[in-house]
């Protein structure tokens, strides 16, 4: 079950909060609808519940806040907006990647595809899916980790009736199996048809918390939709006849040439229009929403008689004059320390009284809240409690009850029962935005992410073609050393094509995470975990080595084909050249990974790769060749004497080659850049964790 206590969003500037003191309960085995018009605060409530937005309040999922759950994706399946994912990835590849992120077997992808009827579309690209298929894929993504709770924001928006019925059937099946389902909607008919319980929001506050049967009886009523070019005249005539016959009829202008008539029938309206010679284009029976303020305004007419129907506008005005203050319906709100108690939801008074209206909540570390949330059930009140409910007490009675607040003109509420040693707070506890979930199997996730789209293969093919053409052109021109010829690296370019391709693939490994955040939907960030970084570095290094070997081999074969064996021969110092070549492409790939993860952009990652030979190398050379008092003569030899003792299998030779690459200008600049980027990445990671 879900228990939401005092959800309040942070106000912007001088505006009131979009959501103010929203509390409700969603029980297991049932489907609950969060109903409200556009701008009522439905999405904000869901984001506060899921700790995706700063604010105040507390939400328990089966007795625990979301930040206290080790693996939130295994407890709550979420779909807010469209399904996030690379448009070039297949449905099966996307679900298998999410299986690796959730730490579940890969067979789970086929199971959820079968449950939502997506097996026939398993090889379709995400960018080619229709709206209905996208909604079903979103349901499959939410079900990958087999969660207990499903939270959807407007799941059937812009869907056909058939697709909407199918999606609601899937949600109903999940609830029948014991799960908890919460979805938001702006359509009262959809809420009454698809939900067991309806929570209605208006201007960021709960105005009704009802069973679906009660909601359909009290919040929905039949009406007649009329379309006529003489809407004003027909409305006035209908209101006049209703007053004469002392019938309760309400006529509401809906804009243009449309009327909504409550308390009448199509036959009566048609006969009245015929008697007065009024042309009518449409008469249809509908079911509309009777929300707060329905029919109130200058464009509503109503008959005066009739007590057994909907009150007329004149009657409502007279009632409002007699009443001392308008009151909203009584709403049963859950309490973190007891059963839901009736709370009068009066409109807040101006000034500081609005803050006093909020239900005080205990801190997250409070013992009373922890005990109630751990039990996962409402605590019964003590028998024989002599104090009446707070909403029924007078200010004098409330002042005599310990822990209550008595103020004139404001709703009377009590503090939550506190354990010894804790203090009361006048506001709900703050909500901190939780970090994005990290993949539980990062290496498997990264492999499926990198190989699930054709970008890596296209980049590799382009690099091989460009490298081969450049090697042929350099061989024809001449004056190029054999090592640079095999690498297709002219002196005029800062890096060879293979190194640039490796850097681009490395930058894409983090750049795609920010463009298509499958791991961090609706957060705009990517988890900065060392496990994910290590997986990306390993995969990018492996891809870079494969690309470097293929580029050198392809260049050698093309040179042998065009010019014979002489230009395709392997140099005698191939081990040192091979170590330098491998270090160069791997360093470029790692620089792309770190820069893209640090600056959250693929372009920034590729720019960091190009900046090493263009900016860092000249700077290092200038510093190294500047005026000095002492020179580091014999530094490589002394390092070799210190580090290179006796390595097994002749390993000291390879280490010496690596050191030889590092002391070169490009190698030294690459080492300096990688060290700087890695330190900056770790610093930002620690800073985000501290926040």
């Amino acid at each position: 079950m879900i228990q939401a206590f005092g959800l309040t969003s942070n106000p912007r500037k001088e505006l009131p909060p979009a959501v103010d003191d929203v509390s409700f309960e969603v029980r297991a085995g049932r489907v609950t609808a969060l109903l409200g018009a556009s701008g009522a605060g439905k999405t904000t409530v869901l984001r506060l519940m899921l700790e995706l937005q700063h604010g105040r309040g507390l939400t328990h999922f089966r007795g625990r806040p979301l930040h206290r759950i080790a693996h939130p994706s295994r407890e709550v399946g979420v779909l807010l907006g469209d399904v996030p994912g690379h448009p070039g990835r297949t449905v099966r590849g996307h679900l298998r990647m999410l299986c690796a992120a959730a730490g579940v077997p890969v067979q789970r992808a086929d199971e959820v595809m079968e449950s939502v009827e997506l097996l026939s579309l398993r090889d379709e690209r995400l960018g080619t899916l229709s709206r209905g298929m996208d909604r079903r894929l979103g349901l499959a993504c939410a079900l990958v980790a087999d969660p207990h709770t499903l939270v959807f924001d407007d799941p059937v928006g812009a869907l056909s009736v058939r697709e909407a019925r199918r999606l609601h059937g899937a949600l109903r099946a999940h609830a029948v199996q014991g799960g908890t389902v919460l979805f938001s909607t702006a359509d009262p008919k959809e809420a009454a048809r698809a939900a067991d319980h309806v929570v209605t929001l208006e201007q960021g506050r709960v105005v009704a918390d009802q069973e679906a049967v009660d909601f359909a009886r009290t919040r929905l009523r039949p009406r007649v939709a009329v379309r006529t070019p003489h809407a004003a005249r027909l409305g006035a005539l209908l209101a006049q006849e209703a007053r004469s016959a002392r019938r309760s009829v309400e006529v509401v202008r809906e804009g243009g040439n449309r009327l909504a008539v409550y308390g009448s029938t199509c036959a009566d309206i048609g006969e009245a229009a015929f008697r007065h010679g009024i042309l009518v284009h449409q008469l249809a029976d509908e079911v509309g929403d009777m929300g707060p303020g329905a029919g109130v305004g200058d464009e509503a007419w109503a008959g005066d008689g009739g007590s057994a129907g909907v009150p007329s506008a004149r009657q409502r005005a007279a009632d409002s004059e007699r009443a001392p203050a308008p009151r909203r319906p009584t709403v049963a709100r859950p309490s973190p320390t007891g059963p839901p108690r009736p709370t009068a939801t009066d409109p807040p008074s101006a000034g500081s009284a609005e803050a006093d209206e909020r239900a005080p909540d205990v801190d997250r570390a409070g013992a009373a809240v922890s005990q109630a949330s751990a039990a996962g059930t409402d605590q019964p009140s003590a028998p024989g409690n002599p104090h009446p409910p707070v909403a029924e007490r007078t200010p004098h009675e409330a002042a005599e009850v310990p822990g209550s607040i008595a103020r004139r003109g404001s709703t009377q509420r009590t503090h939550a029962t506190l354990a010894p040693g804790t203090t009361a707070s006048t506001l709900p506890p703050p909500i901190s935005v939780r970090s994005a979930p990290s993949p539980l199997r990062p290496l498997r996730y990264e492999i499926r992410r990198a190989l699930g789209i054709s970008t890596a293969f296209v980049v590799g093919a382009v690099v091989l073609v460009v490298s081969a053409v450049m090697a042929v052109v350099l061989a024809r021109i001449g004056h190029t050393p054999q090592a640079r010829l095999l690498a297709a690296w002219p002196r005029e370019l800062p890096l060879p094509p293979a190194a640039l391709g490796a850097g681009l693939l490395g930058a894409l490994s983090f750049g795609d995470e920010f463009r298509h955040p499958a791991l961090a939907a609706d957060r705009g960030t990517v988890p900065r975990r060392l496990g994910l970084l290590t997986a990306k570095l390993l995969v990018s290094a492996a891809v870079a080595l494969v690309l470097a070997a293929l580029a050198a081999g392809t260049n050698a074969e093309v040179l042998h084909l065009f010019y014979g064996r002489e230009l395709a021969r392997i140099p005698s110092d191939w081990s040192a050249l091979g170590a330098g070549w491998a270090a160069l492409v791997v360093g470029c790939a790692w620089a792309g990974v770190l820069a893209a993860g640090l600056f959250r952009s693929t372009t920034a990652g590729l720019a960091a790769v190009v900046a090493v030979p263009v900016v860092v190398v000249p700077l290092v050379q200038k510093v190294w060749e500047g005026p000095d008092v002492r020179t580091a003569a014999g530094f490589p030899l002394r390092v070799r004497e210190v580090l290179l003792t006796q390595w097994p299998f002749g390993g000291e030779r390879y280490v010496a080659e690596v050191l030889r690459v590092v002391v070169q200008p490009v190698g030294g600049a690459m080492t300096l850049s990688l060290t700087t980027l890695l330190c900056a990445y770790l610093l930002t990671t620690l800073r985000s964790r501290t926040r």
Side-chain angles (χ1 to χ4, degrees):
M1 65 185 304
I2 305 175
Q3 295 171 307
F5 309 116
L7 297 179
T8 304
S9 61
N10 291 336
R12 296 182 178 180
K13 297 181 179 179
E14 302 298 330
L15 300 176
V19 172
D20 189 9
D21 193 17
V22 171
S23 301
F24 59 92
E25 187 176 275
V26 181
R27 295 191 176 275
R30 310 184 70 189
V31 179
T32 302
L34 191 63
L35 176 65
S38 178
K42 304 183 300 297
T43 303
T44 304
V45 168
L46 297 183
R47 293 179 64 85
L48 290 172
M49 293 172 58
L50 299 170
E51 299 179 4
L52 301 178
Q53 181 174 330
H54 289 285
R56 288 188 173 274
L58 191 63
T59 304
H60 287 171
F61 295 88
R62 290 204 291 181
R64 291 181 298 171
L66 203 60
H67 63 274
R68 296 290 181 88
I69 301 176
H71 306 298
S73 61
R74 296 185 179 181
E75 177 64 31
V76 185
V78 181
L79 178 60
L80 304 178
D82 295 332
V83 178
H86 196 285
R89 202 179 307 278
T90 63
V91 172
R92 173 183 283 179
H94 184 73
L95 290 175
R96 288 187 172 183
M97 183 183 70
L98 294 182
C99 287
V104 298
V106 71
Q107 294 80 10
R108 178 64 180 168
D110 297 329
E111 295 176 3
V112 296
M113 280 192 295
E114 184 177 1
S115 65
V116 300
E117 301 179 6
L118 278 179
L119 274 177
S120 59
L121 302 175
R122 57 183 177 271
D123 295 326
E124 293 291 329
R125 307 288 178 181
L126 299 188
T128 63
L129 296 180
S130 64
R131 178 67 177 177
M133 299 300 105
D134 182 81
R135 296 290 91 185
R136 285 154 67 181
L137 176 61
L139 178 60
C141 295
L143 293 174
V144 159
D146 194 17
H148 178 269
T149 303
L150 294 180
V151 177
F152 281 20
D153 185 16
D154 193 15
V156 298
L159 287 186
S160 64
V161 176
R162 180 181 178 184
E163 290 290 344
R165 188 181 298 113
R166 177 180 296 178
L167 183 58
H168 279 305
L171 297 179
R172 171 67 60 185
H174 184 79
V176 168
Q177 295 176 0
T180 305
V181 178
L182 173 65
F183 72 92
S184 67
T185 180
D187 187 2
K189 301 178 187 177
E190 177 190 352
R193 181 174 56 251
D196 303 314
H197 194 85
V198 181
V199 179
T200 307
L201 293 180
E202 182 186 0
Q203 297 180 356
R205 287 179 175 267
V206 176
V207 296
D209 193 338
Q210 304 166 291
E211 297 293 326
V213 177
D214 298 333
F215 170 80
R217 184 179 67 252
T218 60
R219 300 275 296 174
L220 296 178
R221 57 175 175 166
R223 67 182 181 184
V224 179
V226 184
R227 187 163 57 90
T228 171
H230 308 286
R233 180 186 171 194
L234 180 59
L237 289 172
L238 292 176
Q240 181 180 1
E241 291 186 356
R243 285 193 297 268
S244 301
R246 302 188 63 82
R247 292 187 296 110
S248 177
V249 176
E250 184 178 6
V251 183
V252 180
R253 285 287 300 275
E254 292 189 345
N257 58 355
R258 290 181 56 86
L259 295 175
V261 183
Y262 297 91
S264 185
T265 62
C266 290
D268 293 341
I269 297 173
E271 291 175 1
F274 178 77
R275 287 194 305 268
H276 295 86
I278 297 177
L279 178 64
V280 175
H281 291 164
Q282 181 189 18
L283 279 175
D285 290 320
E286 292 183 354
V287 176
D289 180 28
M290 190 188 68
V296 179
D298 298 335
E299 298 182 347
W301 302 272
D304 285 340
S307 59
V310 180
S312 64
R314 187 176 301 176
Q315 290 172 342
R316 287 195 300 269
D319 293 340
S320 63
E321 291 178 0
R322 290 192 300 266
R327 296 185 61 85
R328 293 184 178 178
T330 299
V331 180
R333 296 186 177 177
S335 172
T337 59
R341 56 170 60 99
T343 303
T345 57
D346 291 342
S349 58
S352 61
E354 181 177 356
D356 298 331
E357 287 281 331
R358 300 170 183 167
D361 211 336
V362 295
D363 190 74
R364 296 186 185 215
V369 174
S370 301
Q371 294 174 0
S373 62
T377 57
D378 295 335
Q379 300 292 334
S381 59
N385 185 6
H387 303 296
V390 181
E392 301 176 359
R393 299 186 195 133
T394 64
H396 298 288
E397 293 173 340
E400 297 174 358
V401 180
S404 64
I405 302 176
R407 287 185 175 87
R408 291 185 179 180
S410 63
T411 304
Q412 307 300 324
R413 295 186 181 178
T414 57
H415 288 286
T417 304
L418 298 179
T422 58
T423 59
S425 175
T426 58
L427 291 175
I431 298 176
S432 300
V433 177
R434 61 186 176 90
S435 59
S438 180
L440 297 181
R441 298 175 181 175
L443 185 59
R444 186 176 300 180
Y445 164 82
E446 181 60 23
I447 292 175
R448 294 191 180 279
R449 188 211 60 79
L451 303 181
I453 55 178
S454 59
T455 304
F457 303 100
V458 172
V459 171
V462 171
V463 166
L464 294 180
V465 172
V466 173
S467 182
V469 172
M470 193 171 295
V472 172
V473 173
L474 290 178
R476 183 177 180 83
I477 296 176
H479 309 291
T480 302
Q482 183 66 20
R484 282 183 168 264
L485 190 61
L486 291 177
W489 189 1
R491 297 182 183 275
E492 294 77 14
L493 293 181
L495 289 173
L500 288 175
L504 176 60
L505 293 178
L508 285 172
S509 66
F510 255 131
D512 282 346
E513 297 281 9
F514 291 101
R515 290 186 60 193
H516 312 288
L519 280 179
D522 291 306
R523 285 183 181 84
T525 182
V526 172
R528 295 181 178 274
R529 300 290 191 273
L530 294 183
L532 181 60
L533 176 63
T534 303
K536 289 186 178 296
L537 292 178
L538 290 177
V539 173
S540 62
V543 172
L545 291 176
V546 171
L547 186 61
L550 289 177
T554 302
N555 294 341
E557 289 296 329
V558 170
L559 291 175
H560 177 266
L561 178 63
F562 276 83
Y563 303 108
R565 187 178 299 274
E566 180 180 358
L567 292 180
R569 69 179 186 273
I570 300 177
S572 57
D573 54 344
W574 63 270
S575 60
L577 294 175
W581 177 239
L584 177 64
V585 293
V586 171
C588 289
W590 285 357
V593 171
L594 293 172
L598 184 62
F599 300 107
R600 303 182 178 184
S601 172
T602 303
T603 306
L606 187 59
V609 174
V610 179
V612 172
V614 175
V615 178
V616 181
V617 171
L619 183 61
V620 171
Q621 289 180 340
K622 184 177 181 180
V623 172
W624 190 259
E625 295 174 357
D628 52 5
V629 177
R630 295 182 177 85
T631 59
F635 175 73
L637 181 60
R638 289 194 298 273
V639 171
R640 182 175 180 178
E641 292 176 354
V642 173
L643 298 179
L644 302 183
T645 53
Q646 250 345 50
W647 289 71
F649 307 105
E652 66 275 3
R653 181 178 59 182
Y654 300 101
V655 177
E657 299 299 343
V658 171
L659 292 177
R660 180 181 174 184
V661 172
V662 170
V663 298
Q664 293 178 357
V666 176
M670 184 68 69
T671 304
L672 178 62
S673 299
L674 289 177
T675 304
T676 304
L677 290 173
L678 182 60
C679 292
Y681 186 91
L682 295 178
L683 181 62
T684 55
T685 301
L686 295 176
R687 185 179 180 183
S688 62
R689 288 187 179 182
T690 302
R691 287 181 178 178

